[in-house]
């Protein structure tokens, strides 16, 4: 799936609960944040023919789709939110919907 689809999936999940705008954004970001590892393709393609290529996409793609990173994302959302437990659990669920 694409990051746009992940964004919309997270937004739909965030709107299933009574959250304000900030908490909905946190839950939505938790669904999109695992896609950040795909940005490594840009420096890899730009340096592919150089003496020291950056293999960021090849080496680190899917490293952000781990349980440890999902717990960090959920904890961060929980710390930044006002209804902490609800937003944290929804962020964790949103991450795993990814």
């Amino acid at each position: 799936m694409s990051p746009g689809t992940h964004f919309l999936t997270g937004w739909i999940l965030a709107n299933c609960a009574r959250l304000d705008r900030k908490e909905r954004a946190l839950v939505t970001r938790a669904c999109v944040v695992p896609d950040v590892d795909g940005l490594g393709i840009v420096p890899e393609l730009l340096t592919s023919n150089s003496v020291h290529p950056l293999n960021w996409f090849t080496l680190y793609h899917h490293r952000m789709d781990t349980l440890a990173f999902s717990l960090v994302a959920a904890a961060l959302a929980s710390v930044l939110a006002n209804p902490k437990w609800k937003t944290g659990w929804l962020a964790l669920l949103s991450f795993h919907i990814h």
Side-chain angles (χ1 to χ4, degrees):
M1 290 185 355
S2 70
T5 305
H6 291 146
F7 175 82
L8 293 173
T9 305
W11 186 254
I12 289 170
L13 177 67
N15 283 301
C16 290
R18 291 184 184 207
L19 300 172
D20 66 358
R21 186 176 179 182
K22 177 183 171 183
E23 281 77 30
R24 280 196 311 266
L26 289 169
V27 172
T28 304
R29 286 182 189 138
C31 197
V32 178
V33 76
D35 292 327
V36 172
D37 61 357
L39 294 176
I41 193 77
V42 176
E44 185 167 330
L45 290 175
L46 291 174
T47 62
S48 62
N49 295 324
S50 68
V51 177
H52 301 288
L54 299 172
N55 295 323
W56 291 352
F57 185 75
T58 304
L59 297 175
Y60 301 113
H61 187 60
H62 295 297
R63 293 277 173 103
M64 296 184 107
D65 295 343
T66 63
L67 177 63
F69 190 68
S70 69
L71 293 174
V72 169
L76 184 63
S78 181
V79 166
L80 296 174
N82 192 7
K84 295 184 180 305
W85 65 271
K86 187 191 304 186
T87 306
W89 282 109
L90 284 172
L92 186 65
L93 179 63
S94 179
F95 190 97
H96 287 291
I97 285 176
H98 168 88

